[in-house]
Amino acid sequence: MTANIINGKEIAKDVRREVKEAVEERVATGKSVPGLATVLVGSDPASGMYVKMKQRACNKAGINAFHIDLPADTSQEELEAKVAELNADENVHGILVQLPLPDGLDEERVLQAIDVNKDVDGFHPLNIGRLAQKGRTPVFMPATPAGCIELLKRTGVELEGANAVVLGRSNIVGMPVALMLVEHNATVTICHSRTKDLKGLIQTADVLVCAVGRPEMVKGDWIKPGAVVIDVATVKVDAPELEKGYKWVGDVAFDEAMEVASAITPVPGGVGPMTIAILLQNTLKAAQLAD
Ligand code: NAP
């Protein structure tokens, strides 16, 4: 068997086009231009790059991008005051505080300060809490996990009754994606660093979502024949055979998995592009909520 590649780049492009069209349509009927405010505290280069990518994507989709740069020594009170200001700004429909925050700032308090109807990152405790409760709907879902689900849906993967295994239980990927899979009526096993018989559990998965960050830890013979594999991890590893000297890999040994799975996301070009696409979708939704 050779697996189909789930092309996250193309699917993300479709989502971004849909958002752009919906933005154009609403603006043409006199409604507000959706606005996303990004807040960056400190000067971490990776965080700075992510924020720039998000701003660029907003511009392309016709969404207003507002950016607030704060110094690394910003106090908790100053940061929360900025969030309060953005909560009150009617041109700002979505607020994204780039994580991680510098040491000394209380991430949970900051996330809690964001208006739940502007929480386009989906990390407000109320949104996550609703995700964990049957029959409750969060206003927003976190972008990367929602991106995984969107990839599965748009590939036509049947989740109802499927055995799903999620590798990783972080707040930003593993746990929310597991909750979303439950919401889609999959039977979900969550694995983490203390799990015994990881291989045996993974072998039961019709749908496998990996979010650990350990290069190629999941081998081909861990995968159930015909399984669908979503690899969230993105890890830079040395590749002396390449001119640039490095490459990006996921948690899954891709070439081996290609021989066993029915469909798999590549790294890069799988889940990665979906995160920003879903963020744009969430920002559009935030503007619609404010209409
Ligand atoms: P994280 O917070 O470090 O969480 C890693 C999880 O993996 C933890 O739950 C940990 O278990 C588990 N784990 C660690 N070693 C393990 C092992 N040997 N066996 C089984 N489980 C193990 O990471 P994260 O933030 O969720 O990110 C995971 C990966 O996804 C990273 O490569 C990251 O770069 C990538 N990522 C990609 C995107 C995107 O594409 N847009 C977004 C976010 C993250 P414990 O809980 O027991 O410690």
Side-chain angles (χ1 to χ4, degrees):
M1 177 182 285
T2 303
N4 291 321
I5 304 244
I6 301 174
N7 190 335
K9 259 191 197 163
E10 282 305 313
I11 296 175
K13 222 189 260 177
D14 289 345
V15 173
R16 286 167 69 154
R17 195 194 54 246
E18 288 160 17
V19 171
K20 185 172 192 275
E21 286 168 4
V23 169
E24 281 166 3
E25 214 170 286
R26 63 177 276 117
V27 173
T29 58
K31 291 184 175 155
S32 63
V33 178
L36 173 71
T38 47
V39 181
L40 180 63
V41 189
S43 53
D44 176 65
S47 294
M49 189 186 75
Y50 294 140
V51 164
K52 279 212 176 71
M53 284 164 65
K54 289 166 187 173
Q55 288 173 291
R56 243 182 270 137
C58 282
N59 292 332
K60 284 192 184 158
I63 291 173
N64 283 334
F66 307 99
H67 181 62
I68 293 95
D69 250 327
L70 296 172
D73 61 359
T74 301
S75 70
Q76 184 77 28
E77 290 66 32
E78 284 165 337
L79 180 53
E80 287 182 30
K82 181 47 77 179
V83 169
E85 205 181 287
L86 295 170
N87 283 341
D89 186 337
E90 59 181 27
N91 294 314
V92 172
H93 301 100
I95 302 169
L96 184 150
V97 177
Q98 187 66 39
L99 303 177
L101 292 170
D103 287 348
L105 291 172
D106 183 335
E107 181 180 299
E108 198 183 348
R109 263 179 57 195
V110 174
L111 294 177
Q112 214 157 342
I114 297 174
D115 180 337
V116 72
N117 290 317
K118 296 191 177 192
D119 173 41
V120 287
D121 233 359
F123 292 139
H124 190 291
L126 204 64
N127 276 323
I128 291 290
R130 285 181 186 162
L131 186 59
Q133 288 179 310
K134 197 176 173 196
R136 306 271 159 83
T137 312
V139 188
F140 301 103
M141 309 265 192
T144 302
C148 296
I149 301 294
E150 198 67 25
L151 287 176
L152 290 166
K153 279 200 203 157
R154 293 193 186 220
T155 313
V157 176
E158 178 65 60
L159 292 175
E160 177 134 351
N163 283 337
V165 172
V166 178
L167 189 49
R169 56 174 166 179
S170 72
N171 288 339
I172 62 163
V173 192
M175 191 55 79
V177 86
L179 293 169
M180 287 177 204
L181 287 164
V182 170
E183 207 233 326
H184 283 82
N185 298 319
T187 303
V188 180
T189 304
I190 302 173
C191 299
H192 45 76
S193 65
R194 315 292 163 83
T195 297
K196 289 179 181 150
D197 190 19
L198 205 54
K199 177 179 173 181
L201 287 168
I202 288 176
Q203 279 171 333
T204 67
D206 303 312
V207 175
L208 173 64
V209 180
C210 298
V212 172
R214 289 173 75 97
E216 302 183 329
M217 69 175 284
V218 176
K219 307 299 177 198
D221 66 347
W222 295 27
I223 295 170
K224 181 175 175 178
V228 177
V229 179
I230 304 289
D231 195 348
V232 186
T234 323
V235 190
K236 196 177 180 178
V237 295
D238 291 339
E241 74 280 12
L242 300 178
E243 203 180 312
K244 56 183 178 179
Y246 68 89
K247 62 179 178 177
W248 295 97
V249 298
D251 286 335
V252 179
F254 184 80
D255 292 344
E256 293 177 21
M258 275 295 286
E259 301 303 315
V260 195
S262 63
I264 183 167
T265 55
V267 178
V271 176
M274 292 301 290
T275 300
I276 288 185
I278 302 290
L279 174 67
L280 299 179
Q281 233 183 23
N282 281 352
T283 305
L284 170 65
K285 183 179 178 185
Q288 289 164 340
L289 284 173
D291 286 344

